């Protein structure tokens, strides 16, 4: 992937007010660091973000199960975090990761394995 | 970008029930088709998705302004849609686009121009 973000501005967590939604969550796009492939989008709580930084692996908040979720802990396909990016509005994250196995529970490398076309 | 999605399954809009949230919206990750760069994340309504397919350019629903929004209509940096991808849960989209100019209102090519680090 062409890296147009070499000169990223660095923001420290305490310096920025993340805009969490009404449920205390912020969406995170998980992107493969080496290929740029978008693997999945999931929800991050303050606690899961803290765990992501602490462990170097992706943690999310499962809205359906209402629990913290270390991606790949069950399947073994843990995502190693290379960088966390923040958008201009401070209301969306990108997790750039190394991922050994598929991200999707269907076995596809990415959850975005379907193309949507109009009728 | 390494294209691991050459053999995408094709789903037609009428064949699938998109899982819209309680506001009738679904998030869309906008990704640059040639480089894989994630440019922005924005919200899509049924009407904005219809307009996206009809015009071949990205349309969103602005939650702050409560109106439809053709990205780049003002700045001239319209995003041409190459493919729309759908995730396994049918609750998130990826718009793969060609973008002539910067995606971010700050002038950065992407809205994700900041790296977030812990304290």
């Amino acid at each position: 992937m062409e890296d147009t973000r070499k000169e990223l501005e660095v923001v420290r967590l305490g310096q920025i007010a993340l805009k969490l939604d009404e449920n205390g969550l912020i969406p995170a796009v998980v992107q493969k660091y080496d290929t740029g492939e978008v693997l999945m989008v999931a929800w991050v709580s303050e606690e899961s973000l803290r765990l992501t930084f602490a462990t170097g692996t992706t943690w999310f908040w499962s809205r359906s199960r209402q629990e913290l979720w270390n991606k790949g802990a069950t399947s073994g396909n843990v995502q190693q975090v290379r960088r966390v990016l923040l958008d201009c509005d401070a209301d969306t994250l990108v997790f750039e990761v190394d991922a050994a196995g598929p991200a999707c529970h269907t076995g596809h490398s990415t959850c975005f394995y379907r193309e949507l076309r109009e009728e």
Side-chain angles (χ1 to χ4, degrees), chain A:
Chain A
M1 177 173 52
E2 178 191 319
D3 193 345
T4 54
R5 288 175 289 203
K6 275 181 194 126
E7 296 174 26
L8 286 169
E9 299 169 22
V10 174
V11 187
R12 306 240 161 223
L13 199 45
Q15 295 168 349
I16 195 103
L18 289 184
K19 280 189 212 142
L20 306 177
D21 72 7
E22 61 277 16
N23 300 311
L25 301 175
I26 183 169
V29 179
V30 181
Q31 186 179 30
K32 207 150 178 284
Y33 182 78
D34 54 355
T35 64
E37 190 175 34
V38 172
L39 301 178
M40 55 186 279
V41 174
W43 292 92
V44 169
S45 62
E46 278 193 74
E47 175 69 359
S48 69
L49 185 57
R50 198 188 62 71
L51 285 165
T52 296
F53 279 122
T55 64
T57 66
T58 56
W59 282 80
F60 303 102
W61 177 257
S62 168
R63 294 183 302 175
S64 55
R65 298 192 306 273
Q66 289 283 304
E67 64 180 20
L68 288 163
W69 163 48
N70 184 204
K71 170 69 186 167
T74 309
S75 67
N77 297 322
V78 170
Q79 296 167 335
Q80 302 289 334
V81 177
R82 298 285 291 256
R83 290 197 297 207
V84 177
L85 305 180
L86 176 69
D87 78 340
C88 52
D89 294 332
D91 65 2
T92 314
L93 302 174
V94 168
F95 288 170
E96 292 184 336
V97 305
D98 294 323
C104 190
H105 72 285
T106 59
H108 291 85
S109 65
T110 166
C111 293
F112 296 93
Y113 58 88
R114 297 186 291 184
E115 180 179 356
L116 185 64
R117 297 200 191 148
E118 53 183 341
E119 341 294 307

